[in-house]
Short mmCIF file of all heavy atoms in Angstrom, two decimals:
data_model
loop_
_atom_site.label_atom_id
_atom_site.label_comp_id
_atom_site.label_asym_id
_atom_site.label_seq_id
_atom_site.Cartn_x
_atom_site.Cartn_y
_atom_site.Cartn_z
N PRO B 86 203.49 8.20 99.46
CA PRO B 86 203.82 6.79 99.47
C PRO B 86 204.54 6.42 100.78
O PRO B 86 205.43 7.12 101.23
CB PRO B 86 204.79 6.64 98.28
CG PRO B 86 204.55 7.84 97.45
CD PRO B 86 204.13 8.93 98.36
N MET B 87 204.10 5.31 101.35
CA MET B 87 204.66 4.86 102.62
C MET B 87 206.07 4.28 102.38
O MET B 87 206.28 3.60 101.39
CB MET B 87 203.76 3.76 103.16
CG MET B 87 203.62 3.72 104.63
SD MET B 87 202.56 2.34 105.07
CE MET B 87 201.09 3.20 105.52
N MET B 88 206.98 4.65 103.25
CA MET B 88 208.37 4.18 103.10
C MET B 88 208.68 3.15 104.18
O MET B 88 208.39 3.38 105.36
CB MET B 88 209.35 5.34 103.21
CG MET B 88 209.34 6.25 101.98
SD MET B 88 210.05 5.46 100.52
CE MET B 88 209.65 6.63 99.27
N GLY B 89 209.30 2.07 103.78
CA GLY B 89 209.73 1.10 104.77
C GLY B 89 211.02 1.51 105.43
O GLY B 89 211.63 2.52 105.04
N PRO B 90 211.46 0.73 106.41
CA PRO B 90 212.74 1.08 107.08
C PRO B 90 213.90 1.04 106.10
O PRO B 90 214.94 1.67 106.34
CB PRO B 90 212.88 -0.02 108.15
CG PRO B 90 211.64 -0.81 108.15
CD PRO B 90 210.83 -0.48 106.94
N ASP B 91 213.76 0.27 105.01
CA ASP B 91 214.81 0.19 104.01
C ASP B 91 214.77 1.34 103.03
O ASP B 91 215.45 1.32 102.00
CB ASP B 91 214.72 -1.18 103.25
CG ASP B 91 213.32 -1.38 102.67
OD1 ASP B 91 212.41 -0.55 102.93
OD2 ASP B 91 213.14 -2.39 101.97
N ARG B 92 213.92 2.36 103.29
CA ARG B 92 213.71 3.54 102.40
C ARG B 92 213.16 3.12 101.06
O ARG B 92 213.33 3.82 100.10
CB ARG B 92 215.02 4.33 102.23
CG ARG B 92 215.68 4.80 103.49
CD ARG B 92 214.82 5.81 104.28
NE ARG B 92 214.46 7.01 103.51
CZ ARG B 92 213.32 7.70 103.71
NH1 ARG B 92 212.48 7.29 104.68
NH2 ARG B 92 213.05 8.78 103.04
N LYS B 93 212.51 1.97 101.01
CA LYS B 93 211.83 1.56 99.78
C LYS B 93 210.33 1.62 100.00
O LYS B 93 209.87 1.43 101.12
CB LYS B 93 212.25 0.12 99.42
CG LYS B 93 213.64 0.04 98.86
CD LYS B 93 213.85 -1.23 98.02
CE LYS B 93 215.28 -1.33 97.54
NZ LYS B 93 215.96 -2.49 98.11
N PRO B 94 209.55 1.92 98.91
CA PRO B 94 208.11 2.05 99.10
C PRO B 94 207.48 0.74 99.55
O PRO B 94 207.88 -0.32 99.13
CB PRO B 94 207.60 2.42 97.71
CG PRO B 94 208.78 2.67 96.84
CD PRO B 94 210.01 2.15 97.54
N VAL B 95 206.55 0.89 100.46
CA VAL B 95 205.78 -0.29 100.92
C VAL B 95 204.68 -0.51 99.91
O VAL B 95 204.04 0.44 99.47
CB VAL B 95 205.18 -0.02 102.32
CG1 VAL B 95 204.39 -1.23 102.81
CG2 VAL B 95 206.27 0.37 103.31
N LEU B 96 204.50 -1.79 99.51
CA LEU B 96 203.51 -2.09 98.48
C LEU B 96 202.28 -2.76 99.04
O LEU B 96 202.33 -3.50 100.01
CB LEU B 96 204.14 -2.98 97.39
CG LEU B 96 205.38 -2.41 96.67
CD1 LEU B 96 205.89 -3.42 95.66
CD2 LEU B 96 205.03 -1.06 95.99
N ASN B 97 201.11 -2.50 98.38
CA ASN B 97 199.90 -3.23 98.68
C ASN B 97 200.01 -4.62 98.10
O ASN B 97 200.89 -4.89 97.25
CB ASN B 97 198.71 -2.51 98.05
CG ASN B 97 198.38 -1.22 98.77
OD1 ASN B 97 198.35 -1.19 99.97
ND2 ASN B 97 198.18 -0.15 97.99
#
Side-chain angles (χ1 to χ4, degrees):
Chain B
M87 215 180 253
M88 287 290 171
D91 53 355
R92 304 297 302 151
K93 285 202 184 115
V95 180
L96 300 179
N97 288 315

